[in-house]
Amino acid sequence: MNSKVNTFSYSQPEFESTLNTAFRLSEGPETEPVAMLTLRSVVPSKWVKADGDRGFSICFEGPPTPELDQHIYYLSHPRLGEISLFLVPISGDATKREYEAVFN
């Protein structure tokens, strides 16, 4: 990964276009990937903001190890480029782990 990370906001349709595709996850810019995550869902918020916009959440699925803590991670995708997201672990078992990012 290079040190240039996109900081602009992605839209729900942009993430929907990458459903079921892989993202390389690193703990920082220019560090080796520690996991591959697959985007499994994009869910609109049930709440509408004052400006009429609606937030959304995205959920990734990854391997059972490493168990990632709640943290800002750097993800790389062939179409979206490099992004930083605050990921929160939401579930896991012996076969997989799931992580969520929320966009308000």
Side-chain angles (χ1 to χ4, degrees), residues 14-99:
E14 285 177 298
F15 279 109
E16 287 172 337
S17 73
T18 64
L19 276 170
N20 300 310
T21 62
F23 288 72
R24 282 187 328 204
L25 179 138
S26 299
E27 293 180 335
E30 300 184 22
T31 61
E32 290 298 313
V34 295
M36 294 292 285
L37 301 182
T38 302
L39 182 60
R40 291 294 186 211
S41 68
V42 179
V43 180
S45 171
K46 63 181 179 179
W47 308 107
V48 178
K49 298 187 288 187
D51 63 4
D53 199 8
R54 187 180 294 252
F56 64 98
S57 65
I58 59 175
C59 291
F60 292 94
E61 183 179 296
T65 59
E67 290 185 41
L68 303 172
D69 293 326
Q70 176 174 300
H71 186 66
I72 295 174
Y73 292 98
Y74 296 81
L75 292 100
S76 177
H77 186 272
R79 196 161 154 270
L80 298 182
E82 297 179 356
I83 57 175
S84 59
L85 293 178
F86 184 74
L87 295 179
V88 176
I90 56 172
S91 69
D93 58 29
T95 63
K96 67 182 177 187
R97 299 262 175 240
E98 295 180 315
Y99 304 93

